[in-house]
Amino acid sequence: MFTSVILAAGMGTRMKSEMPKVIHKVCGKELVKWVIDESKKAGAEKVVTIIGHKAEMVRPAVEADAEIAIQAQQLGTGHAVMQAVPFIKDYKGYVVILNGDTPLIKAETIEAAVEYHKSQGNSATVITAELPDATGYGRIVRAADGAVLKIVEQKDASEEEKKIREINSGMYVFNADALVWALSKLTPNNAQGEYYLTDTLEHLREDGKKIGGYTIDDNDEIRGINNRVQQHEAEALMQERINKQHMTNGVTIVQPSSVFIGAEVEIGSDTIISSNVTIMGNTKIGSGCVIEMNCKIENAVIADNVSITSSIVLNSEIGEGTSVGPFAYVRPGNKIGKNVKVGDFVELKNDVIDDDTKISHLTYLGDSDIGKNVNFGCGTVTCNYDGKDKFRSKIGDNVFVGCNTNFVSPVNVGNGVYIAAGSTITEDVPDNNLSIARSRQINKSDWKGNKYNK
Ligand code: UD1
Ligand code: MG
């Protein structure tokens, strides 16, 4: 049983952004949200986020999943954790401290650190790493028996201490009561004039408590993000992790370096994803699908055996066996049935389209309810907007729409209707009628002749 406390109050100046650092994203998810989610996966019963800089911008990203404590002034990491005391002062479990800017930390690592802390009977355990270049990090000073004596910050370290390669990741496991007691002992008497969380370890040791270090082997997990280059590096690592997970689950990803899949996306087995594909948001893709090159898919629910090529699909549902593209734009709000064909240069918005309908080419359908087995000829347009309001049209089952038809919404077209090519339909059409709404062709024989032929 543990509670995690996530430090996320800092400014993140080096991001050079109007947005606080911890709500910048990696693989479509905010940095701090990654840390919250991994904590929960590891079994945290409560998560407390400490926010401060532009707190009102951070709040919406965290409030659904974590408690919030505000650190109005950033007086150091120890001062940040002090803001969580109301949440942990009577708590009997462990407190895991994490940073809001280290999205690559894994649930397994958090769990393992808690297990280690328990098994050693420590009062505090710091998660450490061995780095080839430890510059900037707090150094771990250990006793001969391996116990942690203290952590020295770069700015407070002696020349000897600066040579230490074992560093403080900034993540810890504490017994809640020991943490609360040690926080009350902190003072800002150091090079930076801050309340250092690291000083709690020394207070606990002086009180006769056992302090340990848990060294991780994948240093990528403790990478903090301070600028856009590091954000990109973390994104690449996370992307590789996500893609490998899908591949392990039975998805073929032809060129993983060009495939970007968001954290929450689900994909069924035997689906094939080709190059330059971005799949984000709460997208679910079934099995046996083929997502060909150059697609962007966001918040879509895609059933089995669907194929999508060089197209954009946003906030829509696509039924089994349907094909989309190349070059289709499926805008938000569509519910597309089974075995539908959405062909090239087709734009759909806010439509309900029933099974077996074919919209093969160069067509715009917006705000429409379309029946089963309808065939749209090339160049069909629903005129759904009069410059002020939008209107819905309804087209029945088994309708054949000739090329270059306009439906001036709102119109109701019955079942089994046949629309002549080039019609502009402004009135309802009853079931099984042939509708022709175009001017007649006149051939003139008494004209002056074609100058061209002279
Ligand atoms: C801290 C550790 C250092 C460790 C390093 C790992 C201390 C004193 N030092 O140093 O030993 O090697 O992290 O990255 O703890 N924060 C707040 N409020 C504050 C200050 C910081 O929320 O008042 C947050 C920051 O936003 C950041 C985290 O705490 O997410 C760490 O703070 P930072 O200032 O980066 O600490 P370091 O100096 O890097
Ligand atoms: Mg730092």
Side-chain angles (χ1 to χ4, degrees), residues 14 21 77 99 101 136-137 153 169 224-226:
R14 284 169 283 169
K21 173 167 80 176
T77 49
N99 287 299
D101 65 355
Y137 287 96
E153 293 307 298
S169 68
I225 291 172
N226 297 303

Side-chain angles (χ1 to χ4, degrees), residues 59-264:
R59 184 184 291 275
V62 302
E63 65 188 348
D65 304 283
E67 308 283 345
I68 291 173
I70 302 284
Q71 185 193 22
Q73 254 190 308
Q74 283 82 61
L75 305 178
T77 49
H79 181 256
V81 178
M82 286 176 199
Q83 315 311 309
V85 167
F87 295 94
I88 57 174
K89 63 179 191 301
D90 300 315
Y91 186 59
K92 297 283 172 274
Y94 306 105
V95 176
V96 173
I97 294 176
L98 301 164
N99 287 299
D101 65 355
T102 51
L104 293 160
I105 186 69
K106 285 185 185 162
E108 298 97 274
T109 304
I110 299 171
E111 261 184 286
V114 173
E115 278 314 309
Y116 177 83
H117 174 86
K118 267 196 241 182
S119 70
Q120 298 294 303
N122 290 340
S123 283
T125 301
V126 52
I127 300 179
T128 78
E130 292 277 352
L131 295 188
D133 178 8
T135 311
Y137 287 96
R139 309 298 208 282
I140 306 290
V141 181
R142 295 216 189 214
D145 67 356
V148 171
L149 293 177
K150 60 176 178 176
I151 296 173
V152 209
E153 293 307 298
Q154 172 90 20
K155 288 183 181 151
D156 303 294
S158 66
E159 286 312 309
E160 274 312 296
E161 287 166 339
K162 280 183 187 153
K163 290 181 191 147
I164 298 172
R165 293 286 155 266
E166 187 183 11
I167 61 95
N168 171 18
S169 68
M171 304 180 209
Y172 319 75
V173 185
F174 282 91
N175 293 349
D177 53 355
L179 175 62
V180 172
W181 174 83
L183 286 172
S184 73
K185 302 284 168 206
L186 293 184
T187 57
N189 300 328
N190 50 54
Q192 305 188 86
E194 289 182 358
Y195 294 91
Y196 286 172
L197 178 60
T198 45
D199 288 347
T200 55
L201 304 187
E202 239 178 306
H203 290 296
L204 287 168
R205 191 178 54 79
E206 280 161 12
D207 195 46
K209 300 290 193 306
K210 194 175 168 198
I211 315 299
Y214 176 76
T215 310
I216 59 163
D217 33 52
D218 175 8
N219 292 342
D220 286 335
E221 285 190 55
I222 61 153
R223 276 175 184 252
I225 291 172
N226 297 303
N227 58 43
R228 312 263 180 168
V229 175
Q230 292 170 344
Q231 179 187 19
H232 157 73
E233 288 164 354
E235 173 112 16
L237 288 164
M238 191 69 89
Q239 194 55 63
E240 199 180 322
R241 241 189 230 175
I242 293 173
N243 287 351
K244 279 189 176 154
Q245 187 60 53
H246 289 293
M247 289 188 263
T248 308
N249 294 346
V251 177
T252 297
I253 301 182
V254 177
Q255 195 198 42
S257 62
S258 72
V259 172
F260 303 90
I261 302 177
E264 315 296 337

